[in-house]
């Protein structure tokens, strides 16, 4: 329904109500002041526009007028509306004869309908925040069902979006119906009766128009027969089938052609997510009521210039059109506007967060000592890849600024992120600051400690000393101390480290969560590096940040995140990507097997183990339940130990084990004491087991491609060929197609993009990633929209970062609403 239609409806209702100013909640003036600008925009003709401006609706003072004045005023406005309508009809009849007729019909239908709902809404002080029960027919028990979708208020109902539309807009004469297509007819009911259809009672009707008749049946709905009076006008929408050579509509959507706007037939009909006890026809009735009665009250929080620039619909129109679109184009435009809102608010929030860290307090500008860098690089047994060089440069540029770096470093498993992190830590140390590197598991922390120490022993001289503290001289101007802080140290060792870190005697602290315990105090933390950052909760990341005075932060991940996703999830971080593996890396040979090939796979594993290699066997993912998953893995571990590999040493790893046990198993696997590690998906984290050559994944179809790629990255880490065997349980042809990609594609980013495309963003936004506002409509695959929203958010942010300007007041409110409940971010 257009703004003009609404205006006319309301005015006519007001007239019928005897000019009592009861047609609209809050009074006619309030409505007009709010809507006039928008109505004005829909007028093109200059003469009509002049007429409209003379009415001065934006400053109407209806409430203060007496009855005669009100009548005169009303006649004036309705008169102008008639002129407008005549002009519009003339124009559209020139464009299309058929279109015109339909518009008029629809407008008349609309009018009566809206009068009803507006009439009802004036009963109380009902508004957007009223409970859904203010909608006629929504009783408490229905409201409870809506609550399952988090729909509690009228506003929520307006934001309860259809999942899709059925296109019943193709009206056809009966004689032109085509079998197998979704079509709509408008006709007269010649006859309707209860009939036995199959073995059950249903309704059978004959509906006809001037071109012919067609049979319509509804299974299991005998009560419909009573509702279809002979000679009533009806709209039927559905797919036409053939029965004994005759065309028939089977259980189509129907709607009596009373004086109402069509909502179930004859148009794009919305399809809502349904729960038990909510029927599509009812839900449509209620959303329609909400749209007609309340959508105009929505405050449009988007600044006008953004709407103009991005050609976005106004909010009330977008809400109306997302539910009951005039056509596909309008549905798309509505979606465009509403998903822009989501992305825009997301970006604004993310930018605000970034600014809080960076400009809240000044950061520490590091001096970059080129000499340190080139000496370190000179001692490495390899040259940096071009991608590493580029990323290093990006990072060094950040470190020189007097504002804290917030950089996400993405790079595939084995792409060499640690070297880059090490360089950053060295620069911090050379500047007299401490650096910390936090990893999600002890084994990983130990691995980093060993790697960094081995790099340093080449460039400096290691002094004799204890196991978890090492000192290197002859490299930086003073001695350089590196320490490993993990939970399993003795408390005396821990205490010792805490003291040394606090006194500034440790330059580089490598560790696990142990680093962020409250006992740990740094004397001068200038850089925090977080490895495999997606494994850490938001709070843990910010805890490490808090250990310093606005330190530079580098977070690293081996999970490739498509660019669109990165912009959204980490829009507050600058992003660097190492998109190149060091030369000579082998490709892990990947094969998607059939379940019956399992025996062959076992034989293959046997052979590899007898050649001195090790293998992983990953158990299927159990949705939502780590407990069940652990149980299944345990059973599988026992079966494999007993029946399949009785002579080999097997280990078990799952998320329910105490972390000490987990660490021990990983350590013995890494140390070669175990041949095969049976594990749930917990093994995904960047662990390096040089001798592991086979990764066998059971129930492979349940994992995302990115995750499978992560698994596969665990093997083939030295010169020996690595193998990945994927064994699905039950698999549809599409799922098989997806798995087969693993055989061909070895680029983690490409796989992540595919994943996103096939499985949608939900898989990426696991529970871990919550803390972001809800995205109902926005597609994270739509790079264009994302960038548009980001661009606009940045522009706005530059001109009014705190949204203090009066014209941004509503936006500010909306922003805090969208982000309420979103956790603080690291
Ligand atoms: P990840 O990005 O998975 O953390 P690492 O930093 O652990 O990768 O690097 C994996 C291995 O590759 C290490 O043994 C490291 O020494 C080696 N490496 C890193 N950069 C290069 C390079 N440019 N050329 C050759 N080997 C490299
Ligand atoms: Mg790593």
């Amino acid at each position: 329904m257009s703004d003009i239609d609404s205006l006319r409806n309301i005015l006519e209702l007001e007239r019928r109500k005897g000019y009592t100013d009861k047609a609209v909640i809050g009074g006619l003036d309030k409505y007009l002041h709010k809507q006039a600008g928008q109505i004005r925009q829909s007028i093109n003709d200059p003469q009509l526009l002049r007429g409209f401006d003379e009415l001065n609706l934006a400053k109407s003072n209806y409430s203060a007028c007496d009855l005669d004045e009100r009548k005169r005023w009303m006649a004036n406005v309705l008169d102008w509306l008639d002129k407008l309508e005549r002009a519009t009809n003339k124009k559209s009849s020139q464009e299309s004869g058929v279109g015109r007729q339909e518009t008029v019909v629809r407008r008349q239908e609309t009018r009566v309908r809206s009068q009803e709902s507006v009439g009802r809404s004036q009963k109380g002080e009902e508004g957007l925040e009223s409970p859904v029960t203010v909608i006629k027919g929504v009783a408490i028990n229905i409201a409870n069902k809506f609550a399952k979708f988090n729909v509690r208020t009228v506003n929520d109902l307006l934001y309860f979006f259809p999942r899709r539309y059925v296109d019943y807009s193709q009206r056809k004469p009966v004689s032109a119906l085509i079998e197998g297509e979704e079509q709509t007819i408008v006709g007269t009911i010649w006859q309707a009766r209860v009939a036995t259809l199959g073995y059950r009672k249903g309704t059978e009707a004959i509906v006809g128009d001037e071109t012919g008749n067609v049979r319509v049946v509804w299974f299991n709905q005998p009560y419909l027969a009573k509702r279809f009076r002979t000679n009533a006008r009806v709209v039927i929408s559905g797919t036409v089938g053939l029965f004994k050579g005759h065309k028939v509509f089977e259980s189509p959507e129907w709607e009596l052609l009373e004086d109402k706007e069509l909502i179930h037939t004859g148009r794009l009909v919305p399809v809502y997510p349904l729960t038990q006890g909510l029927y599509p026809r009812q839900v449509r009735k209620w959303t329609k009521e909400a749209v007609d009665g309340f959508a105009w009250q929505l405050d449009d929080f988007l600044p006008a210039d953004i709407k103009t620039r991005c050609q976005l619909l106004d909010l009330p129109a977008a809400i109306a059109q997302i539910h009951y679109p005039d056509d596909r184009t309008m549905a798309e435009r509505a979606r465009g506007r509403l998903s822009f809102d989501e992305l825009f608010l997301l970006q604004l929030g993310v930018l605000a967060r970034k600014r809080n860290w960076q400009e809240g307090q000044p950061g520490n500008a590091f001096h970059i000592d080129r000499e340190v860098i080139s000496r370190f690089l000179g001692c490495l047994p390899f040259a940096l890849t071009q991608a590493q060089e580029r990323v290093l440069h990006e990072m060094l540029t950040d470190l020189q600024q007097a504002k804290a770096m917030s950089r996400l470093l993405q790079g595939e498993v084995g792409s060499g992120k640690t070297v880059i992190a090490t360089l950053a830590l060295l620069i911090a140390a050379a500047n007299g600051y401490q650096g910390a590197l936090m990893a999600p598991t002890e084994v990983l922390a130990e691995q980093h400690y060993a790697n960094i120490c081995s790099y340093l022993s080449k460039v400096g001289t290691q002094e004799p000393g204890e196991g978890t503290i090492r000192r290197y001289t002859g490299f930086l101007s003073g001695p350089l101390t590196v320490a490993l802080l993990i939970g399993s140290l003795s408390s005396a060792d821990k205490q010792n480290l805490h003291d040394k870190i606090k006194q500034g005697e440790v330059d580089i602290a490598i560790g696990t969560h142990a680093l962020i315990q409250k006992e740990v105090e740094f004397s001068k933390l200038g850089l925090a590096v977080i490895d495999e950052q997606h494994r850490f909760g938001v709070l843990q990341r910010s805890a490490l940040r808090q250990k310093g005075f606005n330190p530079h932060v580098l977070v690293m991940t081996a999970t490739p995140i498509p660019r669109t996703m990165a912009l959204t999830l980490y829009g507050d971080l600058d992003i660097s990507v190492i998109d190149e593996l060091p030369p000579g890396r082998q490709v892990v040979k990947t094969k998607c097997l059939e379940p019956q090939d399992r025996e062959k796979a076992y034989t293959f594993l046997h052979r590899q183990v007898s050649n001195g290699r090790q293998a992983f066997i990953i158990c299927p993912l159990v949705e939502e339940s780590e407990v069940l998953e652990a149980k299944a893995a345990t059973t599988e571990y026992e079966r494999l130990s007993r029946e399949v590999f009785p002579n080999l040493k097997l280990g078990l790893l799952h998320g329910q084990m105490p972390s000490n046990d987990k660490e021990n198993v990983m350590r013995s696997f890494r140390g070669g004491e175990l041949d095969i590690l049976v594990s749930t998906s917990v093994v995904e984290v960047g662990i390096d087991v040089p001798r592991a050559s086979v990764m066998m994944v059971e129930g492979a179809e349940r994992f995302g491609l990115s995750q499978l790629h992560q698994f596969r990255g665990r093997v083939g880490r030295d010169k020996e060929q690595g193998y990945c065997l994927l064994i699905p349980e039950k698999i549809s042809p599409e799922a098989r197609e997806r798995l087969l990609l693993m055989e061909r594609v070895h680029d983690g980013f490409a796989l992540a993009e595919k994943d996103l495309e096939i499985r949608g963003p939900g898989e990426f936004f696991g529970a871990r990633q919550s803390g972001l506002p809800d995205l109902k409509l926005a597609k994270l695959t739509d790079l264009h929209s994302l960038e548009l929203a980001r661009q606009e958010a940045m522009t706005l942010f530059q001109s009014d970062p705190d949204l203090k300007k009066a014209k941004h007041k509503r936006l500010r409110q909306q922003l805090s609403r969208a982000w309420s409940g979103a956790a603080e971010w690291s």
Side-chain angles (χ1 to χ4, degrees):
M1 183 174 48
S2 77
D3 298 318
I4 301 284
D5 289 334
S6 316
L7 176 63
R8 182 185 277 278
N9 287 332
I10 286 170
L11 294 182
E12 284 177 352
L13 180 67
E14 173 63 15
R15 186 165 61 181
R16 277 195 292 125
K17 291 200 167 277
Y19 304 94
T20 47
D21 201 8
K22 288 208 175 127
V24 192
I25 312 156
L28 196 53
D29 289 326
K30 192 172 157 206
Y31 169 81
L32 290 172
H33 298 176
K34 195 163 164 329
Q35 294 300 99
Q38 200 162 309
I39 293 170
R40 193 175 190 282
Q41 282 179 13
S42 52
I43 307 162
N44 299 323
D45 181 295
Q47 202 179 338
L48 285 165
L49 200 58
R50 216 171 307 127
F52 178 82
D53 288 341
E54 279 162 16
L55 296 174
N56 203 10
L57 296 185
K59 296 219 171 84
S60 70
N61 200 4
Y62 186 77
S63 59
C65 297
D66 64 23
L67 183 63
D68 279 345
E69 285 166 339
R70 285 182 179 189
K71 281 184 183 166
R72 241 176 294 131
W73 178 90
M74 182 74 75
N76 237 338
V77 181
L78 287 173
D79 202 40
W80 176 82
L81 280 171
D82 284 343
K83 266 187 221 151
L84 178 71
E85 188 152 344
R86 278 197 300 276
T88 319
N89 287 344
K90 203 160 84 204
K91 200 158 140 250
S92 66
S93 75
Q94 282 160 0
E95 281 163 9
S96 132
V98 187
R100 185 188 77 95
Q101 217 171 8
E102 291 212 353
T103 324
V104 174
V105 171
R106 196 179 292 180
R107 180 164 305 146
Q108 282 162 355
E109 289 161 357
T110 307
R111 193 167 301 166
V112 182
R113 172 76 179 160
S114 296
Q115 283 165 358
E116 283 171 5
S117 56
V118 173
R120 247 193 319 279
S121 6
Q122 51 93 36
K123 266 183 292 184
E125 281 300 296
E126 293 151 5
L128 293 166
E129 294 311 319
S130 303
V132 278
T133 45
V134 302
I135 306 280
K136 191 185 155 207
V138 178
I140 286 289
N141 64 326
I142 299 288
N144 290 339
K145 285 176 184 137
F146 271 123
K148 293 203 181 105
F149 295 106
N150 282 325
V151 171
R152 295 191 170 78
T153 62
V154 171
N155 191 65
D156 296 338
L157 187 58
L158 290 175
Y159 275 88
F160 179 62
F161 298 138
R163 278 184 305 152
R164 61 191 177 89
Y165 309 95
V166 189
D167 190 350
Y168 289 145
S169 61
Q170 299 311 311
R171 291 197 198 183
K172 286 254 172 81
V174 169
S175 63
L177 288 173
I178 297 169
E179 185 204 338
E181 274 182 23
E182 276 172 357
Q183 296 149 96
T184 294
I185 57 165
V186 181
T188 305
I189 298 171
W190 299 131
Q191 186 193 61
R193 59 182 186 99
V194 177
T196 307
L197 301 166
Y199 297 101
R200 297 198 185 199
K201 286 212 155 81
T203 296
E204 180 184 54
I206 304 295
V207 176
D209 63 11
E210 53 281 8
T211 70
N213 299 327
V214 64
R215 189 167 157 257
V216 186
V217 295
W218 286 270
F219 298 105
N220 301 326
Q221 300 181 61
Y223 52 85
L224 285 183
K226 262 193 262 139
R227 306 207 35 191
F228 296 143
R229 282 172 294 103
T230 304
N231 288 331
R233 300 276 290 155
V234 69
V235 188
I236 303 285
S237 285
T239 310
V240 177
L242 270 191
F243 183 73
K244 295 189 177 158
H246 293 285
K247 287 181 189 140
V248 60
F249 278 102
E250 290 184 356
S251 297
E253 287 286 349
W254 60 273
E255 201 160 11
L256 290 174
L257 190 62
E258 295 162 328
D259 289 327
K260 290 181 184 173
E261 184 176 357
L262 296 174
I263 63 173
H264 307 299
T265 59
R267 59 171 309 135
L268 286 179
V269 174
V271 179
Y272 294 96
L274 290 182
T275 182
Q276 240 187 347
L278 284 181
Y279 299 104
R281 289 179 76 89
Q282 292 178 308
V283 174
R284 286 198 285 262
K285 215 174 94 208
W286 296 325
T287 54
K288 181 67 176 140
E289 196 126 340
V291 165
D292 287 349
F294 295 90
W296 67 270
Q297 292 187 34
L298 285 164
D299 244 339
D300 199 339
F301 53 85
L302 270 196
D305 54 326
I306 295 186
K307 279 192 285 187
T308 314
R309 240 190 334 266
C310 304
Q311 302 184 342
L312 298 171
L313 288 181
D314 288 308
L315 186 57
I319 288 286
Q321 291 292 327
I322 195 93
H323 289 281
Y324 293 94
D326 290 345
D327 50 38
R328 287 270 170 208
T329 315
M330 286 310 284
E332 247 341 284
R333 290 197 63 198
R335 169 180 282 278
R337 158 69 208 248
L338 297 167
S339 62
F340 180 90
D341 288 358
E342 294 177 353
L343 296 173
F344 182 65
L345 291 169
L346 184 76
Q347 290 297 330
L348 273 182
V350 152
L351 288 174
R353 214 156 48 172
K354 178 171 180 181
R355 194 184 65 125
N356 280 349
W357 313 328
Q358 292 199 325
E359 277 145 44
Q361 334 148 305
N364 315 301
F366 289 170
H367 165 72
I368 308 293
D369 188 340
R370 294 282 158 190
E371 175 69 21
V372 166
I373 294 174
S374 57
R375 274 186 59 204
F376 177 80
L377 291 178
C379 289
L380 292 180
F382 49 77
L384 293 187
T385 60
Q386 274 185 14
Q388 281 172 313
E389 292 275 7
R390 187 186 62 235
V391 166
L392 177 63
H393 175 76
E394 288 164 357
M395 185 182 68
L396 294 178
T397 310
D398 284 359
L399 291 176
Q400 292 176 72
Q401 311 297 319
K403 63 180 182 181
M405 167 169 82
S406 292
R407 189 165 283 279
L408 172 69
L409 174 53
Q410 292 192 62
E412 290 238 23
V413 176
S415 59
K417 297 183 289 294
T418 318
V419 192
I420 305 297
T422 308
L423 274 162
L425 291 164
L426 289 174
I427 294 292
N431 278 269
Y433 283 92
Q434 292 172 298
L437 166 56
M438 182 162 75
T441 65
E442 295 204 349
V443 178
L444 267 182
E446 285 169 359
Q447 197 173 290
H448 280 312
Y449 181 65
N451 284 344
I452 290 179
C453 288
S454 99
Y455 291 145
L456 289 177
S457 61
K458 290 184 189 113
V459 64
T461 317
Q462 188 189 329
E463 291 189 354
E466 310 124 273
T468 58
I469 303 187
R470 293 197 186 143
R471 266 158 76 94
Y472 296 89
T473 50
F475 176 35
L476 299 184
S477 52
L480 175 70
T481 307
V482 186
L484 175 68
L485 179 58
I486 51 182
S488 59
L489 296 184
S490 74
S491 41
D493 283 349
K494 263 190 252 177
Q495 190 54 53
N496 180 28
L497 277 181
H498 291 169
D499 292 345
K500 289 206 152 83
I501 291 173
K502 189 169 178 183
Q503 280 144 28
E505 286 169 34
V506 170
D507 300 298
I508 298 178
I510 299 169
T512 53
H513 304 83
L515 283 173
I516 50 173
Q517 302 311 307
K518 62 176 179 312
E519 305 83 66
V520 183
E521 284 174 55
F522 286 83
S523 89
K524 209 178 171 195
L525 182 66
L527 169 71
V529 183
I530 297 160
D531 192 21
E532 303 297 341
Q533 62 81 33
H534 65 288
R535 286 278 153 176
F536 287 102
V538 167
L539 295 175
Q540 294 165 322
R541 280 181 267 150
S542 88
L544 185 58
R545 184 187 285 277
Q546 303 299 321
K547 295 274 174 196
F549 187 75
N550 209 20
H552 294 290
V553 174
L554 179 68
V555 295
M556 308 198 289
T557 181
T559 309
I561 307 165
R563 187 175 150 69
T564 51
M565 188 67 89
L567 276 177
T568 312
L569 278 179
Y570 306 111
D572 42 357
L573 302 176
D574 297 307
I575 297 175
S576 290
V577 183
I578 306 186
D579 49 6
E580 178 187 0
L581 289 178
R585 283 291 156 80
Q586 49 151 310
V587 159
V588 175
K589 282 194 182 147
T590 303
K591 192 86 191 129
C592 180
L593 302 173
E594 301 287 345
Q596 59 268 28
D597 294 335
R598 190 171 282 114
E599 288 304 322
K600 279 190 229 156
Y602 290 149
T603 314
F604 182 73
L605 255 68
H606 248 296
R607 227 180 13 245
Q608 288 283 313
V609 171
S610 45
N611 288 337
R613 325 296 316 166
Q614 291 168 289
F616 294 92
I617 298 180
I618 306 293
C619 302
L621 192 68
V622 180
E623 219 56 58
E624 317 272 328
S625 169
E626 265 197 34
V627 180
L628 288 184
E629 190 167 86
K631 238 170 98 184
T634 311
T635 315
E636 177 71 351
Y637 162 74
E638 284 163 2
R639 185 186 74 86
L640 290 168
S641 311
R642 227 183 13 247
E643 297 169 17
V644 187
F645 303 110
N647 306 322
L648 303 184
K649 283 167 289 186
L650 272 66
L652 170 66
L653 189 72
H654 62 69
Q656 295 299 102
M657 287 161 53
S659 53
N660 265 352
D661 293 0
K662 270 192 277 193
E663 302 283 358
N664 286 335
V665 172
M666 279 315 294
R667 247 177 234 126
S668 29
F669 187 58
R670 196 156 121 88
E673 294 151 41
L674 298 172
D675 301 313
I676 296 178
L677 185 64
V678 180
S679 172
T680 60
S681 58
V682 296
V683 82
E684 180 194 335
V685 169
I687 185 76
D688 204 350
V689 184
R691 284 174 51 218
S693 64
V694 191
M695 171 60 67
M696 173 169 167
V697 186
E698 292 279 358
E701 79 280 11
R702 301 201 197 173
F703 295 100
L705 296 178
S706 287
Q707 207 176 0
L708 290 173
H709 185 66
Q710 287 284 305
F711 289 145
R712 155 166 93 178
R714 304 285 125 243
V715 297
R717 306 216 39 176
D718 66 358
K719 275 139 257 118
E720 296 295 323
Q721 179 61 52
Y723 301 91
C724 176
L725 308 176
L726 304 175
I727 309 200
E729 246 159 74
K730 342 184 247 273
I731 191 164
S732 63
E734 301 87 69
R736 180 157 197 94
E737 237 359 75
R738 187 170 72 90
L739 281 187
L740 285 174
L741 283 173
M742 293 296 298
E743 295 186 358
R744 297 197 305 272
V745 183
H746 291 269
D747 170 354
F749 278 92
L751 288 171
E753 295 276 2
K754 273 283 170 215
D755 239 0
L756 187 59
E757 200 180 296
I758 302 172
R759 314 215 304 173
E763 300 294 329
F764 278 84
F765 286 104
R768 283 198 297 265
Q769 303 292 8
S770 62
L772 287 172
D774 217 14
L775 297 180
K776 289 188 191 163
L777 286 179
K779 292 201 193 96
L780 292 173
T781 37
D782 182 355
L783 187 60
H784 174 74
S785 310
L786 262 168
E787 282 180 342
L788 189 67
R790 187 169 169 78
Q791 197 51 53
E792 289 296 340
M794 291 200 295
T795 311
L796 178 71
F797 205 72
Q798 263 158 22
S799 75
D800 185 14
D802 295 310
L803 303 183
K804 283 215 175 89
K805 292 185 185 162
K807 64 176 177 179
H808 296 146
K809 184 167 155 232
R810 278 176 291 179
L811 179 59
R812 192 173 68 230
Q813 290 162 348
Q814 190 71 20
L815 185 63
S816 64
R817 211 170 310 152
W819 279 83
S820 71
E824 200 35 59
W825 196 253
S826 83

